């Protein structure tokens, strides 16, 4: 599935957590969850290989309890080597009774992958496990890992205070997609620009990243994996939606509306043409799955009327932008090579990457704040937008981000409504502002764009201001000369984004 069976890429922090829980020498129960394809099983398989002599790795399925128990006992006997009598066990209570009397000297790791299948096939599974934890496992040298992809089921089992397993976990890990910098490891032969392009198309899902061969061009990889009917990613979104959801057509309509520019709830409702309550429910499902995201202006309450929605997953965005509406054409009416030339022109692809580039810059900024590289510590970080006093409507201006400070009451301080006609990214404290602009264009950042950036700063009343220019191709000679005499300005290029801390 991955490029190399010998090389384990990324997940350094996650491995540190797993090893620390392994070394604790007391009962530990880790809940590991995350969206499908994010690499949960791959991470656990790697960890299990490092401790193969004392790790039971079992994957639940939708089969009967008896068959699941027998499969689990086969792995348990491989580790403990206690005899074939384990083959006679038919219930989980049989397993727990055995563990009560078993002598476990060395650390025993029990990994139950897709444990939600066990719960779905037997609603009493969680109460039985809770009883086993309280009466048996807590006194044993056992590291229990429960892993699953079904977000709603995990929340119901683990986070609902009325459920038996509530309060039993000792640690929880939500496995997230790779960042752009972590994804870079998949493409040692690519330039930084090529790696960023691949990430903008694929996102941080390890399986998708592993499909691109960096000995081929971006175009060749897209044709092979995304546009060809035999490519893994051609029907991947349809497959994922069928695995996760019912009424997939309705969910797709919501994402198509967002892709077409409907960023507010009302515009999504108008494009989809369905009941508002139903749309709200389905939007929340897509948010929980990590396919779309909901944003409110930084400093405002979560239920702000200024809520915006966007597709957060890169490959979902790429699929709905370039593939979905033309699948019939790609099914034999045009060659993938000709389609790429027709639809994925450099201008269109750069425009698409430009939106992803903003997210990459946000990730970079968060990392800078986290590592103490910025001139202040941000209290909040997120996008913010306001009303255009002339057009009297919500408006997003592509490519400009402002990191600004909030007033003590959490609101952004601005000089006038006329300033509030752009979408900003805010990192906040009470005294400081860092104002940034992102440009993913073939041309360097020029004098006019610099003036626009400085004009935008008039909205911000904080005393201490500094500026960052994110630019794919740097700045013009005029801007470079101008900035030499100005303190508080810095330029971050494509290569700078990939520098190690």
């Amino acid at each position: 599935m991955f490029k190399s069976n010998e090389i384990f890429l990324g997940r350094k922090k996650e491995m540190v957590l797993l090893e620390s829980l392994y070394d604790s020498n007391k009962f530990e129960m880790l809940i590991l969850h995350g969206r499908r394809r994010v690499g949960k099983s791959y991470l656990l398989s790697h960890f299990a290989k490092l401790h193969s002599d004392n790790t039971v790795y079992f994957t639940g399925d939708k089969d009967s309890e008896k068959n699941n128990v027998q499969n689990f006992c086969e792995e348990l006997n491989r580790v403990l080597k206690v005899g074939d009598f384990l083959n006679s066990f038919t219930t989980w209570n049989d397993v727990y009774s055995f563990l009560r009397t078993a002598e476990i000297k060395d650390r025993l790791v029990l990994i139950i992958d897709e444990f939600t299948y066990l719960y779905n096939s037997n609603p009493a599974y969680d109460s039985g496990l809770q009883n086993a934890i309280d009466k048996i496992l807590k006194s044993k040298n056992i590291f229990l890992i429960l892993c699953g992809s079904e977000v709603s089921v995990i929340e119901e089992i683990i986070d609902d205070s009325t459920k038996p397993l509530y309060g039993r976990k000792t640690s929880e890990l939500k496995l997230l997609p790779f960042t752009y910098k972590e994804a870079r490891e998949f493409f040692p032969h690519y330039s930084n620009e090529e790696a960023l392009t691949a990430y903008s198309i694929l996102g941080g899902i390890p399986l998708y990243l592993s499909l691109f061969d960096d000995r081929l061009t971006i175009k060749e990889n897209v044709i092979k994996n995304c546009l060809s009917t035999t490519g893994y990613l051609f029907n991947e979104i349809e497959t994922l939606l069928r695995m996760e959801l019912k009424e997939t057509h309705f969910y797709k309509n919501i994402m198509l509306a967002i892709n077409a520019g409907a960023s507010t709830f009302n515009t999504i409702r108008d494009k989809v043409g369905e009941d508002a309550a139903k749309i709200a429910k389905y939007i929340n499902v897509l948010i929980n799955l990590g396919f779309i995201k909901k944003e409110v202006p930084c400093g405002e309450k979560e239920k702000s009327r200024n809520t915006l929605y966007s597709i957060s997953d890169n490959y979902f965005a790429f699929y709905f932008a370039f593939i979905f509406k033309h699948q019939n054409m790609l099914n034999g009416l045009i060659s993938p090579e000709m389609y790429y030339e027709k639809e994925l022109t450099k201008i269109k692809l750069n425009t698409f990457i430009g939106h992803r580039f903003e997210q990459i810059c946000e990730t970079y900024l968060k990392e800078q704040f986290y590592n103490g590289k910025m001139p202040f510590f941000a209290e909040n970080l997120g996008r913010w937008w306001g009303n255009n006093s002339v057009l009297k409507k919500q408006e997003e201006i592509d490519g400009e981000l402002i990191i600004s400070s909030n007033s003590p009451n959490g609101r952004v301080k601005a000089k006038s409504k006329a300033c509030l006609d752009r979408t900003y990214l805010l990192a906040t404290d009470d005294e400081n502002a860092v104002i940034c602009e992102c440009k993913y264009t073939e041309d360097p950042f020029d004098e006019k764009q610099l003036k626009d950036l400085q004009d935008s700063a008039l909205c911000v009343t904080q005393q201490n201001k500094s500026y960052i220019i994110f630019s794919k191709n740097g700045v013009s000679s005029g801007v470079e000369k101008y900035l030499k005499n100005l303190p508080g300005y810095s330029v971050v290029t494509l290569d700078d984004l990939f520098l190690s801390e």
Side-chain angles (χ1 to χ4, degrees):
M1 181 181 291
F2 289 84
K3 283 186 177 178
S4 171
N5 292 324
E6 305 297 328
I7 300 175
F8 180 75
L9 299 176
R11 303 304 187 200
K12 296 178 178 63
K13 292 179 180 178
E14 292 84 355
M15 284 301 299
V16 169
L17 173 63
L18 289 171
E19 291 294 344
S20 68
L21 294 173
Y22 179 85
D23 292 335
S24 76
N25 293 319
K26 63 180 182 180
F27 173 76
E28 300 284 1
M29 175 176 161
L30 170 69
I31 304 297
L32 174 63
H33 58 100
R35 57 161 290 186
R36 296 186 190 276
R37 312 289 202 247
V38 81
K40 301 181 298 299
S41 297
Y42 188 67
L43 171 65
L44 291 177
S45 295
H46 178 71
F47 177 74
K49 288 176 183 177
L50 297 178
H51 304 282
S52 59
D53 292 340
N54 55 342
T55 295
V56 175
Y57 192 121
F58 163 73
T59 301
D61 60 33
K62 298 177 182 179
D63 210 339
S64 66
E65 178 178 7
K66 177 181 177 181
N67 287 339
N68 274 305
V69 167
Q70 289 180 340
N71 290 334
F72 176 85
C73 287
E74 182 178 343
E75 279 299 299
L76 184 63
N77 194 34
R78 179 189 64 79
V79 174
L80 296 183
K81 298 178 175 59
V82 294
D84 292 338
F85 72 89
L86 289 180
N87 296 335
S88 65
F89 292 174
T90 58
T91 69
W92 289 109
N93 284 333
D94 292 338
V95 176
Y96 303 145
S97 296
F98 164 74
L99 291 174
R100 181 193 300 273
T101 58
E103 185 177 358
I104 302 173
K105 294 181 180 179
D106 299 324
R107 190 68 156 158
L108 177 63
V109 182
L110 303 178
I111 299 176
I112 302 180
D113 202 354
E114 299 296 358
F115 83 97
T116 51
Y117 290 161
L118 307 180
Y119 173 78
N120 289 334
S121 62
N122 179 10
Y125 172 78
D126 59 337
S127 60
L129 180 57
Q130 174 257 317
N131 189 58
I133 290 171
D134 293 346
K135 296 182 178 180
I136 302 170
L137 303 184
K138 272 190 174 181
S139 62
K140 299 287 185 176
N141 188 14
I142 287 177
F143 178 17
L144 174 64
I145 303 175
L146 302 180
C147 177
S149 301
E150 297 182 60
V151 177
S152 60
V153 177
I154 292 173
E155 290 176 347
E156 178 184 353
I157 297 174
I158 301 302
D159 297 329
D160 186 341
S161 61
T162 67
K163 296 296 183 180
L165 287 178
Y166 180 79
R168 268 57 184 193
K169 67 183 179 184
T170 63
S171 191
E172 181 176 356
L173 174 60
K174 181 178 182 180
L175 200 63
L176 299 174
F178 285 131
T179 66
Y180 75 94
K181 194 177 289 187
E182 292 168 330
R184 181 73 177 88
E185 295 184 50
F186 284 80
F187 310 114
H189 298 107
Y190 271 172
S191 67
N192 285 333
E193 181 177 348
E194 290 170 323
L196 187 140
T197 300
Y199 175 80
S200 297
I201 294 169
L202 302 169
I205 299 301
L207 172 58
Y208 302 169
L209 293 166
S210 73
L211 295 172
F212 270 34
D213 184 348
D214 62 1
R215 294 167 298 181
L216 304 177
T217 65
I218 295 292
K219 176 181 176 180
E220 290 169 333
N221 273 307
V222 169
I223 289 171
K224 175 184 176 182
N225 295 290
C226 307
L227 302 182
S228 298
T229 56
T230 56
Y232 184 92
L233 293 174
F234 183 74
N235 287 311
E236 168 65 358
I237 302 304
E238 303 290 334
T239 301
L240 266 184
L241 292 175
R242 285 195 299 270
M243 291 171 67
E244 296 282 6
L245 305 165
K246 298 177 181 178
E247 294 189 81
T248 57
H249 180 71
F250 187 73
Y251 286 102
K252 283 188 285 188
N253 282 344
I254 291 175
M255 287 186 279
L256 282 169
I258 295 173
N259 178 73
S263 58
T264 67
F265 182 83
N266 287 340
T267 54
I268 294 171
R269 181 197 59 201
D270 292 343
K271 280 187 175 292
V272 174
E274 289 283 351
D275 176 69
K278 182 178 180 180
I279 292 175
K281 177 183 175 182
Y282 282 44
I283 282 176
N284 285 334
V285 171
L286 292 172
I287 291 172
N288 286 335
L289 290 171
F291 300 158
I292 69 174
K293 66 179 177 181
K294 170 185 175 181
E295 296 175 282
V296 299
C298 184
E300 292 193 16
K301 295 181 180 180
E302 188 174 344
K303 294 185 179 180
S304 167
R305 293 183 179 180
N306 292 326
T307 298
L308 294 183
Y309 298 90
S310 60
I311 297 179
S312 57
D313 180 276
N314 285 10
Y315 190 66
F316 268 80
F318 182 83
Y319 174 79
F320 284 112
F322 294 108
I323 299 175
F324 176 77
K325 288 187 176 181
H326 301 293
Q327 276 190 317
N328 286 340
M329 183 187 297
L330 286 164
N331 270 301
L333 296 177
I334 189 173
S335 72
E337 293 79 8
M338 291 181 65
Y339 182 84
Y340 188 99
E341 294 294 334
K342 176 180 180 293
E343 294 294 333
L344 277 84
T345 63
K346 191 167 188 177
I347 292 176
K348 288 183 179 180
L349 191 56
N350 275 356
T351 299
F352 173 81
I353 295 172
H355 293 293
R356 306 294 118 185
F357 186 61
E358 293 176 2
Q359 295 182 1
I360 289 169
C361 294
E362 181 179 346
T363 300
Y364 173 88
L365 288 167
K366 286 181 178 178
E367 184 181 71
Q368 295 300 300
F369 275 108
Y370 184 84
N371 292 318
K373 303 292 185 180
M374 299 300 287
F376 63 97
F377 291 102
E379 295 174 3
N380 299 286
L381 197 156
R383 291 205 303 163
W384 176 79
W385 50 94
N387 290 319
N388 184 305
S389 61
V390 178
L391 299 179
K392 304 294 185 184
K393 67 179 182 179
Q394 291 297 99
E395 177 176 277
E396 278 198 87
I397 302 297
D398 214 17
E400 184 155 290
L401 309 172
I402 286 197
I403 300 178
S404 165
S405 297
N406 277 359
S407 60
N409 65 5
R411 299 289 182 178
V412 175
K413 294 185 282 187
K415 287 187 175 180
S416 70
K417 285 187 178 180
C419 295
L420 312 183
D421 61 352
R422 297 175 183 269
T423 300
Y424 304 117
L425 178 69
L426 307 175
T428 67
D429 80 0
D430 293 335
E431 302 296 331
N432 304 283
V434 180
I435 306 163
C436 309
E437 188 163 356
C438 299
K439 290 294 180 184
Y440 192 86
T441 61
E442 297 303 312
D443 298 322
F445 185 86
D446 60 26
E447 289 87 337
K448 181 183 182 303
Q449 291 166 336
L450 177 61
K451 185 177 186 305
D452 290 341
L453 173 62
Q454 292 169 332
D455 289 344
S456 296
L458 297 175
C459 294
V460 181
T461 61
Q462 276 71 21
Q463 182 177 359
N464 304 315
K465 299 178 187 179
S466 55
Y467 302 81
I468 300 176
I469 298 166
F470 291 96
S471 176
K472 175 187 176 184
N473 284 302
V475 298
S476 67
S477 58
V479 171
E480 183 177 9
K481 181 178 179 181
Y482 180 77
L483 294 185
K484 283 182 179 180
N485 302 317
L486 285 179
Y489 284 80
S490 59
V491 178
V492 177
T493 66
L494 212 61
D495 291 338
D496 294 330
L497 287 172
F498 289 96
L499 291 177
S500 301
E501 289 296 324

